[in-house]
Amino acid sequence: MGAGHAHTLYRHGHSPVHALPPHCKLAATFAFVVVVVATPREQMWAFGLYAVLLAAVAAVARVPAGFLLRRLLIEVPFVAFAVLMPFVAEGERVEVLGLSLSVSGLWGAWNVLAKGTLGVAASALLAATTELRALLTGLQRLGLPPLLVQIASFMVRYGDVITDELRRMSVARRSRGFEATGIRHWGVLARTAGALFIRSYERGERVHLAMVSRGWTGVMPVIDEVAATRTQWAYAAVLPAAALAVCVMGWTL
Amino acid sequence: MTDDRATGPATATPSLEVCGLAYAYPDGHQALFGVDLTVGRGERVALLGPNGAGKTTLVLHLNGILGGGVGTVKVAGLPVEKRHFAEIRRRVGIVFQDPDDQLFMPTVREDVAFGPAAAGLRGAALEERVRTALERVGMAEYADRPPHHLSFGQRRRVAVATVLAMEPEILVLDEPSSNLDPASRRELADILRALDVTVLMVTHDLPYALELCPRSVVLSEGVIAADGRTQDLLCDEPLMRAHRLELPFGFDPRSVAVA
Ligand SMILES: Nc1ncnc2c1ncn2[C@@H]1O[C@H](COP(=O)(O)OP(=O)(O)OP(=O)(O)O)[C@@H](O)[C@H]1O
Ligand SMILES: [Mg+2]
């Protein structure tokens, strides 16, 4: 995809992970996250093993560690929240480097951090190996209402068209000597947003006309029948199955 | 009012028959005042007329997007009525003016497949239909690209393919040459000439009409004001002036040899 394109989560490749049908990957990621969340937080080694499992999948998918780590940055706000917990939580306290911290708060912070990081890493890995629109068809296969999937597909398709329109309007503004420098100019920007809404709305009407003209009756026709074979499901199940084994050990040990 | 119907080849059922069509928009603005138009099978007809003449309004009647006024429209003998909409929309392929409105799927291939898939085609037959349509407009190697990453001319060609894939009885194009550079404009003309479907082409580009369409009709203020050989109409200066039709500077329709 061209530079400056929005779908930067995806990393083009031809690995076995890329080749799996999207709904298998979605189901596997979801199952993995459920298993991670269900693991008792005291079993720290289990979370280490989960991280190793994800690293193995990333290696098979040939997604470099640096790429994945950068995607983890979206987690930062949660980290801030987690860091606060030991200070504000109630209960038994311990002294660490002269600070008085709550024990339950520390466990809470660890819980959020470990499970959150693993969840985000698994999703980032899914997004890195599956194109956005494949994800959408996968969601549809898994039973998400078709209407939601259609709305999301149109957002993907027209996101660029609308950003482009916004850019053209901004160019037109600046060509007439307008620079938004402060609060005085917010009125102009608000009117631009209004105009953008009208334009997008009218485009929606024209697109609807075009769809009706080609025989659309309210349901998206089936174009690609993405069916998964039993082997593909089996491959996809490896990650959540291994995680489940770890989780069961965590509960029984 | 010149009415010269002798030019069209008269086959058993014409591709398009419009009779006494009148229409007012819901806000009360009357756009069509009794339009009569017959287009024979295999004909290429240009629909000329000034801005606001009602051309787009007429086009939207051809597949039942607009309706509810007076008069009838028939496509290959089938009246445009609600119970026939599915079949009518398969028979009438409309290429809209802005390809961004027409191409709404994530990839070129899916977009071209949309119409036939909506009509119930599946699997290998669908694949084949998409491939032939894209080959006819010379865009086969772009099948997996997203439409918004193509140039304007390429998007226009894909838009034509989306409609060809439905194997329409009549192809209706709303200003097909607008925004195209001269080379793309000529390429599109070559594509249209190579097709053996009925074509109704709305255009302000009079040389293009002369090049592609042996017959033209002039729609002005909601009525058909003239109908005849394109060259004859373009050479009729009083008629042209009366309907705000102007030839590009230096273009003389008399000097062009047409088939
Ligand atoms: N949605 C609408 N509501 C009310 N009036 C409309 C609407 N759309 C078009 N009109 C009016 O109907 C008349 C015919 O419009 P139409 O779009 O058919 O013209 P046109 O021949 O396609 O013009 P152009 O060459 O500019 O595309 C115009 O006077 C226009 O203002
Ligand atoms: Mg128009």
Side-chain angles (χ1 to χ4, degrees):
Chain A
M1 309 258 138
H5 202 253
H7 320 154
T8 47
L9 286 176
Y10 180 67
R11 191 184 158 84
H12 189 71
H14 297 283
S15 76
V17 181
H18 283 81
L20 280 180
H23 49 293
C24 298
K25 284 189 273 189
L26 271 164
T29 310
F30 182 71
F32 175 79
V33 172
V34 167
V35 168
V36 168
V37 170
T39 308
R41 60 189 184 186
E42 290 77 13
Q43 310 291 352
M44 291 187 166
W45 54 271
F47 297 98
L49 283 182
Y50 292 145
V52 171
L53 285 177
L54 281 186
V57 175
V60 175
R62 292 195 280 277
V63 175
F67 181 85
L68 214 51
L69 290 177
R70 271 198 305 282
R71 296 300 172 280
L72 286 183
L73 287 180
I74 54 164
E75 209 200 355
V76 167
F78 298 98
V79 174
F81 172 68
V83 166
L84 278 181
M85 283 171 79
F87 293 97
V88 297
E90 304 285 311
E92 193 189 334
R93 304 189 85 79
V94 286
E95 290 283 324
V96 181
L97 302 170
L99 293 171
S100 161
L101 302 178
S102 149
V103 172
S104 67
L106 276 174
W107 277 117
W110 156 252
N111 197 32
V112 167
L113 268 188
K115 294 181 178 176
T117 309
L118 286 167
V120 172
S123 316
L125 205 51
L126 173 69
T129 57
T130 319
E131 274 185 272
L132 209 46
R133 42 184 222 82
L135 274 180
L136 291 173
T137 42
L139 283 171
Q140 187 159 16
R141 285 282 305 196
L142 291 177
L144 195 73
L147 187 63
L148 283 184
V149 176
Q150 281 177 42
I151 293 175
S153 328
F154 282 116
M155 278 167 57
V156 173
R157 165 65 182 85
Y158 285 98
D160 283 2
V161 174
I162 289 174
T163 8
D164 220 43
E165 213 136 273
L166 195 59
R167 196 185 44 77
R168 278 202 299 270
M169 283 159 75
S170 141
V171 167
R173 266 200 320 267
R174 276 182 288 148
S175 311
R176 281 180 261 158
F178 177 86
E179 267 321 317
T181 48
I183 199 160
R184 284 175 296 126
H185 294 133
W186 286 10
V188 176
L189 297 183
R191 260 169 287 152
T192 307
L196 184 68
F197 174 77
I198 303 282
R199 284 198 201 186
S200 310
Y201 180 81
E202 287 178 346
R203 180 177 295 278
E205 282 199 322
R206 294 197 302 271
V207 170
H208 179 247
L209 277 190
M211 293 175 69
V212 171
S213 299
R214 273 149 75 198
W216 184 73
T217 49
V219 279
M220 233 39 182
V222 185
I223 292 171
D224 292 308
E225 278 156 301
V226 271
T229 63
R230 202 165 293 195
T231 345
Q232 285 172 319
W233 274 113
Y235 276 131
V238 169
L239 174 71
L244 186 63
V246 174
C247 179
V248 169
M249 280 200 298
W251 278 107
T252 50
L253 287 184
Chain B
M1 187 155 163
T2 42
D3 200 351
D4 178 355
R5 289 282 159 73
T7 39
T11 37
T13 36
S15 282
L16 180 67
E17 264 181 294
V18 180
C19 269
L21 188 68
Y23 180 78
Y25 277 100
D27 68 357
H29 181 92
Q30 178 125 14
L32 299 177
F33 295 83
V35 171
D36 295 291
L37 175 66
T38 305
V39 180
R41 176 158 295 164
E43 259 194 302
R44 277 200 305 273
V45 179
L47 180 60
L48 313 176
N51 287 137
K55 304 181 294 295
T56 302
T57 309
L58 175 59
V59 165
L60 292 178
H61 274 88
L62 303 186
N63 70 353
I65 297 265
L66 291 182
V70 190
T72 59
V73 181
K74 280 189 196 162
V75 177
L78 191 69
V80 177
E81 290 167 7
K82 195 156 175 86
R83 64 203 160 94
H84 298 140
F85 276 176
E87 177 60 18
I88 290 289
R89 284 169 187 170
R90 207 197 55 66
R91 289 186 188 185
V92 182
I94 300 188
V95 179
F96 289 93
Q97 187 171 351
D98 184 348
D100 265 328
D101 298 338
Q102 180 121 18
L103 306 175
F104 46 79
M105 295 292 278
T107 64
V108 166
R109 191 178 60 82
E110 284 168 88
D111 217 306
V112 176
F114 182 91
L121 215 59
R122 293 282 179 278
L126 181 63
E127 213 47 49
E128 172 65 20
R129 194 64 92 70
V130 171
R131 205 179 42 79
T132 18
L134 283 174
E135 270 167 10
R136 277 161 96 178
V137 299
M139 292 292 293
E141 65 270 43
Y142 294 87
D144 289 312
R145 296 273 298 272
H148 49 283
H149 289 177
L150 302 178
S151 80
F152 194 91
Q154 290 170 331
R155 271 181 280 167
R156 175 66 52 72
R157 281 199 267 170
V158 173
V160 173
T162 62
V163 166
L164 288 182
M166 299 171 71
E167 301 190 338
E169 161 86 24
I170 176 164
L171 186 61
V172 181
L173 305 123
D174 201 347
E175 310 199 11
S177 62
S178 61
N179 285 323
L180 293 186
D181 66 23
S184 315
R185 189 170 164 276
R186 181 190 47 73
E187 282 163 8
L188 184 66
D190 292 341
I191 292 166
L192 293 179
R193 240 193 310 262
L195 302 173
D196 56 354
V197 290
T198 313
V199 173
L200 181 68
M201 183 172 102
V202 174
T203 189
H204 294 285
D205 183 343
L206 301 177
Y208 208 55
L210 183 59
E211 186 184 341
L212 274 172
C213 303
R215 174 181 161 207
S216 289
V217 294
V218 174
L219 185 69
S220 187
E221 292 174 6
V223 293
I224 299 286
D227 181 344
R229 278 188 64 221
T230 306
Q231 195 160 27
D232 297 345
L233 295 187
L234 298 195
C235 294
D236 185 343
E237 272 170 39
L239 173 87
M240 298 284 285
R241 237 194 326 275
H243 301 294
R244 292 172 55 88
L245 295 170
E246 284 184 18
L247 292 163
F249 177 75
F251 178 80
D252 180 6
R254 267 165 283 259
S255 68
V256 180
V258 287

